[in-house]
Amino acid sequence: MNEAAKIVLDAFKEKFGDTKDVRVFFAPGRVNLIGEHTDYNGGHVFPCAISLGTYAAARKRDDRVIRFYSVNVNRKGVVTTSLDDLVPSDEAGWTNYPKGVVWAFEKRGCKLPSGFDMVIWGDIPAGSGLSSSASLEVLTGYMLRDFYGFSDLTNIDLALIGQYSENEFNGMHCGIMDQFASAMGKEENAIFLDTNTMEYEYAPIMLEGKKLVVTNTNKKHSLVDSEYNLRREQCGRALKDLQKKLDIRTLGDLDIETYEANKDLIEDEVCRRRAKHAVYENQRTIRAVKALKDGDIAEFGKLMNESHVSLRDDYETSCPEADILAEEAWKMPGVIGSRITGGGFGGCTVSIVEDTAVSAFCEKIGKIYEEKVGYPASFYMLEIGSGPKAIDVQE
Ligand code: GLA
């Protein structure tokens, strides 16, 4: 049997007595290749689902009780709540995520007739910016759809429900990228999504002779949500100023020329820099995907590097630790491109590295990082994975 399935099933048995009629589900995390902080600005993103993610063993109940247990956060023990108590709380900790999804289902008119018991375990490193929360939301949505027969919901609906629950129940005003990548992931493909129209296409990532290396700063970060929400507000302010003259709906509607010709409409200097990033990053993402389609991986890498510089200088969502990782990577032979990925303020960089250079990359960057920062970074060679699924436990 799948090892992860065994972990959640064993824990289920230990906490809830037996595993009769228990089902096992999985939903992936994601890594974003380019298109950062564009998703709530009506721009393009280019993420892919990864083979790391969150697993659940779960079973429907006959009453209105819901019980949660996480193998990763086992010190919290079993958290019990009910369908009549769908409000967020500090004590609820991680369970606010699945609870928020139940709440969002109900808001959408998908009322649950009964509660459930759910045990989870995940292999996405905590705080890595590889979307453990989105994977948990999509996982919960997938499970609820399966359990209660909400079969008219598509995977895109599950992504939207996950985002809604994160925005409205958990107070993190994220865009759609993470949940979309988790719900719609496809092996060996990244997803080119226009968040303005929600049109998307898959783009094969054929890195012949190269690897996708994700490097975790292992930085313990706080304030991520509040800084994130602040960026969103600043972009909103910039948009308002531009709308005094321009007929645009989002910053994603702007090309570089129009932005440059009108940027002085943005009164605040900081908001102007935030908008600049949003506009340029969107255009970079479109160019990067074209370069990839044309087989020009070197150009793709160059655009990844430019994305990092923009996040570092204009958007200010990088951090000294991620800057060290990216800037050292740029100096190394065999590195096609390297940038911070995800929401920022810590988390990971993503790099495309020639196969022959990977071990020197990990060794050298690892050494410099530890010398400068005082604790080690972690390196993962990521596989691009598929979307959520039920796992047959008879395997
Ligand atoms: C977080 C959010 C996403 C996206 C990224 C930045 O991961 O959840 O919606 O905005 O940050 O690109």
Side-chain angles (χ1 to χ4, degrees):
M1 191 198 297
N2 176 309
E3 249 183 62
K6 192 168 163 5
I7 293 174
V8 282
L9 282 170
D10 286 351
F12 193 98
K13 189 164 183 198
E14 191 197 317
K15 296 296 163 192
F16 302 133
D18 64 80
T19 55
K20 188 171 174 291
D21 298 331
V22 169
R23 308 248 299 134
V24 176
F25 303 95
F26 167 79
R30 66 96 187 91
V31 64
N32 188 23
L33 300 179
I34 193 162
E36 214 67 81
H37 291 279
T38 47
D39 63 348
Y40 51 86
N41 284 309
H44 293 73
V45 291
F46 196 48
C48 44
I50 54 178
S51 46
L52 306 177
T54 315
Y55 295 80
R59 179 168 62 197
K60 271 194 286 188
R61 300 174 56 94
D62 302 328
D63 54 16
R64 295 183 61 78
V65 171
I66 304 175
R67 292 189 295 178
F68 295 113
Y69 179 77
S70 161
V71 178
N72 301 86
V73 197
N74 53 10
R75 63 176 185 283
K76 201 150 181 67
V78 172
V79 177
T80 303
T81 179
S82 108
L83 286 172
D84 304 311
D85 182 30
L86 297 175
V87 282
S89 71
D90 287 348
E91 313 81 72
W94 72 269
T95 69
N96 281 318
Y97 290 103
K99 209 167 148 180
V101 174
V102 174
W103 172 85
F105 263 70
E106 299 235 322
K107 278 256 156 188
R108 221 188 138 107
C110 298
K111 301 267 181 216
L112 271 56
S114 69
F116 54 87
D117 292 332
M118 180 186 198
V119 167
I120 67 150
W121 174 79
D123 51 9
I124 301 174
S128 61
L130 299 177
S131 290
S132 54
S133 47
S135 89
L136 177 54
E137 288 154 7
V138 170
L139 175 76
T140 307
Y142 193 90
M143 175 192 90
L144 298 181
R145 179 176 69 185
D146 183 286
F147 275 1
Y148 302 103
F150 301 124
S151 49
D152 53 331
L153 296 178
T154 63
N155 276 22
I156 295 181
D157 292 329
L158 298 184
L160 289 165
I161 291 173
Q163 182 202 15
Y164 182 73
S165 74
E166 185 144 348
N167 291 174
E168 304 300 325
F169 195 84
N170 283 298
M172 158 75 171
H173 300 142
C174 62
I176 190 62
M177 171 171 72
D178 304 349
Q179 291 82 3
F180 196 95
S182 177
M184 297 296 288
K186 181 167 159 184
E187 240 162 80
E188 291 180 17
N189 281 266
I191 311 170
F192 184 42
L193 169 68
D194 179 348
T195 62
N196 204 4
T197 59
M198 291 300 278
E199 274 167 30
Y200 67 97
E201 64 180 276
Y202 290 105
I205 301 292
M206 283 181 297
L207 297 172
E208 277 134 26
K210 297 167 198 72
K211 289 229 163 11
L212 216 51
V213 184
V214 169
T215 311
N216 193 345
T217 59
N218 290 322
K219 178 184 164 120
K220 299 272 164 277
H221 50 261
S222 53
L223 297 177
V224 180
D225 292 10
S226 57
E227 282 292 330
Y228 183 96
N229 291 347
L230 176 62
R231 293 301 178 282
R232 206 174 164 149
E233 256 173 66
Q234 290 165 333
C235 288
R237 293 220 295 271
L239 176 65
K240 261 215 170 112
D241 287 346
L242 290 165
Q243 282 170 331
K244 284 181 194 146
K245 187 173 147 206
L246 301 175
D247 180 22
I248 51 169
R249 271 197 328 127
T250 67
L251 294 176
D253 288 340
L254 287 175
D255 57 29
I256 286 171
E257 293 69 40
T258 317
Y259 168 77
E260 287 297 338
N262 292 283
K263 65 182 178 194
D264 293 337
L265 291 168
I266 307 171
E267 282 172 26
D268 181 72
E269 185 272 333
V270 174
C271 294
R272 204 178 305 136
R273 278 192 287 124
R274 305 300 190 240
K276 178 180 174 204
H277 167 80
V279 172
Y280 277 71
E281 180 75 354
N282 182 36
Q283 298 301 326
R284 254 193 300 275
T285 306
I286 298 168
R287 275 159 59 206
V289 174
K290 179 167 186 312
L292 193 73
K293 282 187 186 156
D294 294 346
D296 190 351
I297 189 87
E299 173 70 6
F300 189 89
K302 204 174 128 251
L303 292 164
M304 286 175 78
N305 298 349
E306 285 176 17
S307 164
H308 184 90
V309 170
S310 177
L311 290 160
R312 183 191 65 192
D313 299 344
D314 288 330
Y315 217 65
E316 294 178 286
T317 51
S318 186
C319 58
E321 294 81 356
D323 291 342
I324 292 171
L325 291 177
E327 288 161 18
E328 290 302 327
W330 299 340
K331 295 181 200 158
M332 285 199 64
V335 175
I336 313 293
S338 185
R339 59 181 286 278
I340 187 169
T341 183
F345 309 104
C348 293
T349 59
V350 58
S351 313
I352 300 178
V353 185
E354 303 271 3
D355 278 345
T356 48
V358 168
S359 65
F361 175 90
C362 300
E363 200 180 309
K364 188 147 180 235
I365 307 268
K367 188 162 171 283
I368 297 173
Y369 185 81
E370 191 162 357
E371 273 166 17
K372 291 199 176 177
V373 176
Y375 54 82
S378 317
F379 296 84
Y380 320 101
M381 308 302 134
L382 284 191
E383 305 274 314
I384 301 182
S386 51
K389 60 183 177 193
I391 296 177
D392 183 358
V393 285
Q394 307 310 327
E395 281 169 26

